[in-house]
Amino acid sequence: MKSLQEQIGINLKNVRKMRQYSLDQLSAVTGVSKGMLAQIEKGQSSPTVNTLWKIANGLGVSFSSLVEEEQTSVAVVRRTDKTAVQDLNELYNVFSYFPYDQQKKFEIFLLELLPGCKHVSEQHLSGVEEYLFVSEGEMAVSIGEEHYELKKGDSIKFTANRKHVYENKADGSATCFLLIYYP
């Protein structure tokens, strides 16, 4: 297992390389000296919390992205290990399977719509896209004034800059996976 100091260095170097920044460019956007950044990347210096915040803010990344270990290449998500976030009426259950990742720019949820569920989602920021894949049951999706009926195996993709509604009009539950992409 790597020390926190080593992990910070690896994470910082990965972000810098991904953005194709030189150490000079990284210094310019973060306000941290080139020498200090080089020492941090090599694991030779343990940055203060303030320095890490300066780096995170300059790069526009989360503080935790600089200190957390990189996720493994395989992640198994078990439905039984997840707790739903519910609407007030408890007919709409959301299970976060893969939280938002700044580098990948998407998140994935499992949605469960019980009979009689009607979930209204307000418009998202411009450019946000939703990809919905129905895995069980039937559901209706309304986007603005357009209406779509979806069955098991169907999917829909749309720009989510308009109010949209997910509804289960059937007697059984409807389940779907939702990927939200943030440009």
Side-chain angles (χ1 to χ4, degrees):
M1 183 169 205
K2 295 176 184 68
S3 71
L4 180 59
Q5 186 173 318
E6 291 171 317
Q7 192 60 56
I8 291 169
I10 290 167
N11 292 345
L12 178 58
K13 189 171 188 172
N14 287 341
V15 173
R16 181 174 66 81
K17 294 287 184 183
M18 184 183 71
R19 303 242 177 124
Q20 300 178 341
Y21 284 170
S22 67
L23 283 171
D24 285 326
Q25 291 169 314
L26 183 59
S27 177
V29 299
T30 62
V32 177
S33 74
K34 177 181 170 181
M36 175 59 77
L37 292 168
Q39 287 180 348
I40 293 169
E41 281 191 5
K42 292 176 186 172
Q44 297 173 342
S45 176
S46 185
T48 65
V49 171
N50 286 339
T51 300
L52 284 175
W53 273 114
K54 284 176 75 173
I55 294 169
N57 288 335
L59 289 170
V61 299
S62 69
F63 182 90
S64 62
S65 70
L66 295 174
V67 297
E68 289 181 357
E69 261 189 78
E70 186 176 338
Q71 298 296 317
T72 62
S73 61
V74 175
V76 175
V77 177
R78 301 203 188 283
R79 165 66 183 79
T80 54
D81 295 338
K82 293 293 181 178
T83 303
V85 177
Q86 298 179 323
D87 248 355
L88 294 176
N89 60 13
E90 298 183 4
L91 298 177
Y92 182 72
N93 299 305
V94 179
F95 300 88
S96 177
Y97 270 42
F98 297 99
Y100 177 72
D101 180 305
Q102 181 144 356
Q103 293 175 341
K104 294 178 180 64
K105 299 191 180 286
F106 69 84
E107 56 191 341
I108 299 176
F109 302 96
L110 173 70
L111 306 181
E112 180 182 60
L113 289 77
L114 300 178
C117 173
K118 183 174 183 178
H119 174 74
V120 178
S121 180
E122 295 301 321
Q123 69 184 37
H124 297 293
L125 297 175
S126 181
V128 172
E129 296 176 346
E130 292 196 13
Y131 297 78
L132 188 102
F133 307 88
V134 180
S135 58
E136 291 295 328
E138 302 176 12
M139 60 187 293
V141 177
S142 299
I143 306 157
E145 299 301 316
E146 302 164 11
H147 306 283
Y148 305 90
E149 299 292 326
L150 303 173
K151 296 181 180 182
K152 179 179 177 176
D154 293 345
S155 59
I156 189 170
K157 171 224 171 232
F158 58 94
T159 303
N161 60 351
R162 295 180 280 171
K163 182 166 103 176
H164 42 287
V165 179
Y166 301 140
E167 188 172 5
N168 181 357
K169 300 175 186 176
D171 293 332
S173 294
T175 307
C176 62
F177 288 93
L178 175 64
L179 181 146
I180 303 177
Y181 170 74
Y182 301 89

